[in-house]
Amino acid sequence: MKKTTLLVGLAFGASFFTGCATSEQHGDKQEVASVPKVDHLVDYTDFTLTADLSKLSSNQKKMIKKMIQVSEIMDNIFWKQAYGDKNSFIESLKTPELKRYAEVNYGPWDRLQDNRPFVDGVGTKPIGANFYPKDMTKEEFSKLQNQEKSSLYTVVIRDSRGELKVVPYSKEYKAELDKASSLLLECAQLAKDPGLKKYLELRAKAFLSNDYFQSDLAWMDMKTNPIDFVVGPIENYEDKLYGYKTSFEGYVLIKDMEWSKKLEKFASFLPELQKGLPVENKYKTELPGTDSQLNAYDVVYYAGDCNAGSKTIAINLPNDERVQEQKGSRRLQLKNAMRAKYEKILVPISEVLIDPSQRQHITFDAFFANTMFHEVAHGLGIKGTINGRGTVRKALKEHASALEEGKADILGLYMVSQLHKKGEIDGKMEDYYTTFLAGIFRSVRFGAASAHGVANMIRFNFFKEHGAFQYDEASGYYMVNYEKMEEAMNALSAKILTLQGNGDYQGVAELVKSHGKITYDLQKDLDRIDDANIPTDVIFNQGVEVLGL
């Protein structure tokens, strides 16, 4: 877990690091980006992903090896979605350090620095990544007469005549998905758990059919399997043009049975908490699924979207609203990755920015709970607009992800406060509130290119305006005003839920513009974190050899 400063010492690579600005046209918007200096590039800390495999059978260990193979395929597809041809790009880079940094970012754009290019001459990252033609305008897209154009599982390309054409993932990535499907069927043959076996078989079929609904339902039905595999096109963060298209990824997970047993009761409180949300009744008429699950895992392999830039430490899936309505969702807490970020990043940040009188309230249990209830809170609120504008995701387009993450952040804290009042969780509320503030400083460093980064800035600025967070200029420390926290929490909860329920695209755009940016004063404090050489995120040592397989 030593500190790794990627690209330090690359000042001699002048052809890659110049001060000039480059630009690239995408759709209706012209954006300009400059190549950052070497000392502005992000620091990461190493962490080795391991787990106790001693209780696993020979077949289960073989299954993990095959799952890692499938994950590597997901990784290759994500490279195509995020940038293009990986091999030719990596080979064009001059130094091992630069190649490694490009691998971490899945391309030449620094994901934790608002996607600024760190390789000269590549231009601004297309906001639609490789899901759409780079020269496509929104007007052109709107005129395309194909109902699959906004599907989660299609790309839009130009045909030989230059006309827009919609292609399913199963065809666009056919060679890779055929191989992945075969490997999943081999995994299924090794599986003894009937739920896992069914899921793997259906997921293998989904890669070929482009229909993931049945496999998502099967994944929800798994209850007792010690091994889990989250794999496929899942999150839509990479598509910043519309937020429609999903990216391929893979997590190989070992379930912590003891921790999971402790957590299983919390999802049952969702219907009760939904009724108590601090918003008008018309925004909380939907009933959360009653089959939701909450479990803890050690993750042993990351690939694709979840491995790009900032690393995921908790999962809430499936994203399909139909599945959520029928089955609820599953929340997976990635305990070993969470512990790494707490010890190596969150605690050091608190020592720089949190007032010494409140530092005793920074605890791992509070960090774990805040993260966990963030994922559970995705199940609260509303999925469909109340005024006929369709799903919240479709109505809010590219802003949907940031606002949904903001909702989960704030309603997660709401859940903590309500369950604490009921005596269902231990510890002091001061622990949860103070760790919540320190967590914002950790996550906001992911930058405005991240939906989580935007969500954190909205939350930080809103809470500071309401006096819940206070700053002492003389000392340079932040403090939580515990008395004002609940008031600010309820006010922001109501605002976000109302925006989502109304499908208010313009209102969300205004909120992002007014509150979703890092202010000059805050940036000075974040610079103090960098000056203290605190890493921004982690990179993983992982794979079959690391696991001893």
Side-chain angles (χ1 to χ4, degrees):
M1 290 173 18
K2 62 183 172 114
K3 172 89 178 298
T4 300
T5 304
L6 296 175
L7 293 183
V8 167
L10 284 178
F12 58 83
S15 62
F16 291 100
F17 297 97
T18 67
C20 66
T22 57
S23 65
E24 181 173 327
Q25 182 76 23
H26 186 103
D28 306 312
K29 187 176 181 181
Q30 178 86 7
E31 294 191 21
V32 176
S34 59
V35 178
K37 296 179 181 179
V38 176
D39 59 0
H40 289 162
L41 293 165
V42 171
D43 293 338
Y44 290 81
T45 185
D46 287 352
F47 184 76
T48 299
L49 290 178
T50 59
D52 182 7
L53 307 183
S54 62
K55 296 180 181 178
L56 299 183
S57 68
S58 174
N59 273 8
Q60 288 171 330
K61 292 177 181 179
K62 291 177 182 177
M63 197 187 312
I64 289 174
K65 291 176 67 175
K66 291 183 182 296
M67 288 176 174
I68 290 175
Q69 286 181 271
V70 176
S71 298
E72 290 170 345
I73 295 173
M74 300 298 104
D75 205 72
N76 290 333
I77 298 177
F78 180 65
W79 259 100
K80 290 185 175 182
Q81 294 180 312
Y83 172 75
D85 184 64
K86 172 187 176 181
N87 293 333
S88 62
F89 168 60
I90 295 295
E91 289 173 4
S92 72
L93 303 179
K94 302 299 184 183
T95 68
E97 294 87 355
L98 193 58
K99 291 179 180 182
R100 179 61 177 137
Y101 202 72
E103 288 174 346
V104 170
N105 286 281
Y106 288 75
W109 302 286
D110 197 324
R111 290 174 176 271
L112 303 192
Q113 291 285 323
D114 298 340
N115 276 328
R116 286 187 292 173
F118 55 85
V119 175
D120 191 32
V122 300
T124 300
K125 182 176 180 179
I127 58 175
N130 267 350
F131 298 115
Y132 314 90
K134 293 180 176 62
D135 61 352
M136 185 192 78
T137 65
K138 287 192 172 183
E139 180 182 8
E140 189 179 12
F141 182 79
S142 68
K143 291 180 179 179
L144 177 60
Q145 298 298 310
N146 188 318
Q147 63 180 4
E148 293 299 311
K149 68 181 183 180
S150 58
S151 164
L152 300 172
Y153 312 120
T154 63
V155 294
V156 179
I157 65 172
R158 291 199 185 278
D159 62 20
S160 59
R161 299 172 300 170
E163 301 293 330
L164 294 183
K165 179 182 177 181
V166 179
V167 181
Y169 284 175
S170 55
K171 183 177 180 180
E172 180 73 4
Y173 312 114
K174 185 178 188 304
E176 294 93 339
L177 292 176
D178 283 352
K179 178 62 175 175
S181 179
S182 296
L183 286 167
L184 281 184
L185 290 176
E186 292 176 16
C187 287
Q189 292 175 356
L190 294 167
K192 299 296 184 183
D193 182 272
L196 178 59
K197 184 181 183 68
K198 180 180 179 181
Y199 162 66
L200 293 172
E201 290 174 342
L202 289 174
R203 206 62 164 183
K205 292 180 180 178
F207 281 153
L208 306 182
S209 68
N210 218 48
D211 184 353
Y212 290 84
F213 180 64
Q214 293 299 329
S215 61
D216 278 347
L217 290 175
W219 185 74
M220 281 297 301
D221 289 336
M222 294 193 301
K223 304 288 186 182
T224 59
N225 50 301
I227 297 174
D228 208 330
F229 192 21
V230 176
V231 64
I234 297 172
E235 303 289 2
N236 55 0
Y237 303 127
E238 195 73 8
D239 177 7
K240 292 180 171 58
L241 185 61
Y242 288 105
Y244 295 154
K245 307 305 178 184
T246 51
S247 300
F248 282 85
E249 63 184 0
Y251 304 82
V252 182
L253 304 157
I254 308 298
K255 189 173 183 179
D256 188 316
M257 296 296 189
E258 183 178 345
W259 272 69
S260 296
K261 185 69 176 177
K262 297 176 183 177
L263 303 180
E264 63 183 15
K265 67 176 181 179
F266 291 120
S268 64
F269 289 103
L270 278 175
E272 176 185 346
L273 292 169
Q274 174 84 346
K275 293 179 182 178
L277 290 174
V279 69
E280 293 180 61
N281 288 332
K282 61 184 178 180
Y283 297 106
K284 52 185 179 181
T285 56
E286 295 178 9
L287 291 178
T290 57
D291 199 26
S292 298
Q293 303 169 50
L294 189 60
N295 294 300
Y297 297 81
D298 284 324
V299 57
V300 295
Y301 201 83
Y302 282 76
D305 186 39
C306 61
N307 194 44
S310 60
K311 308 304 185 293
T312 303
I313 55 177
I315 308 168
N316 174 68
L317 292 172
N319 287 327
D320 191 323
E321 292 89 350
R322 299 171 300 168
V323 180
Q324 293 178 13
E325 290 171 3
Q326 288 189 34
K327 298 278 189 178
S329 58
R330 288 178 59 197
R331 285 86 178 189
L332 295 78
Q333 312 305 304
L334 310 183
K335 191 160 55 71
N336 54 347
M338 203 180 296
R339 175 69 75 174
K341 293 200 182 190
Y342 174 78
E343 293 178 351
K344 307 301 288 187
I345 302 173
L346 186 75
V347 170
I349 286 175
S350 70
E351 292 171 352
V352 173
L353 294 184
I354 301 298
D355 190 89
S357 67
Q358 294 189 343
R359 287 179 195 163
Q360 75 271 23
H361 294 304
I362 306 291
T363 70
F364 178 72
D365 286 348
F367 180 58
F368 184 91
N370 287 344
T371 305
M372 174 178 67
F373 286 114
H374 165 103
E375 299 305 328
V376 179
H378 278 297
L380 293 175
I382 197 164
K383 304 298 179 185
T385 60
I386 66 172
N387 49 16
R389 294 183 177 177
T391 65
V392 171
R393 178 165 51 187
K394 289 290 179 66
L396 300 185
K397 300 179 182 179
E398 74 272 18
H399 296 307
S401 292
L403 196 66
E404 176 62 24
E405 293 306 323
K407 182 202 80 173
D409 285 333
I410 198 66
L411 293 190
L413 190 62
Y414 160 79
M415 289 189 70
V416 168
S417 68
Q418 296 302 305
L419 292 172
H420 188 269
K421 290 176 182 178
K422 292 169 65 68
E424 294 292 344
I425 57 175
D426 299 324
K428 300 177 180 179
M429 276 310 300
E430 289 87 348
D431 296 349
Y432 298 103
Y433 285 150
T434 311
T435 305
F436 184 81
L437 172 58
I440 292 179
F441 293 128
R442 181 187 71 84
S443 296
V444 78
R445 297 171 79 202
F446 299 156
S450 159
H452 296 79
V454 174
N456 273 277
M457 274 320 307
I458 291 173
R459 189 156 36 98
F460 176 85
N461 288 325
F462 191 94
F463 272 55
K464 191 176 181 184
E465 284 179 2
H466 283 69
F469 299 155
Q470 297 174 345
Y471 180 67
D472 181 72
E473 293 187 6
S475 66
Y477 293 132
Y478 289 83
M479 293 186 67
V480 178
N481 184 319
Y482 299 121
E483 294 180 357
K484 294 185 177 180
M485 277 293 291
E486 187 167 4
E487 176 187 335
M489 174 184 72
N490 289 339
L492 184 55
S493 297
K495 186 175 187 64
I496 289 176
L497 290 169
T498 301
L499 287 169
Q500 286 188 321
N502 292 342
D504 187 354
Y505 176 87
Q506 187 59 41
V508 178
E510 291 173 1
L511 179 65
V512 170
K513 184 177 180 180
S514 63
H515 286 72
K517 304 297 182 184
I518 297 175
T519 64
Y520 174 76
D521 289 340
L522 177 59
Q523 185 60 57
K524 289 194 299 184
D525 291 321
L526 296 178
D527 289 342
R528 290 165 54 200
I529 298 175
D530 294 336
D531 292 342
N533 292 319
I534 298 171
T536 302
D537 211 75
V538 294
I539 54 174
F540 296 125
N541 303 314
Q542 59 179 2
V544 173
E545 292 183 1
V546 170
L547 294 172
L549 297 176

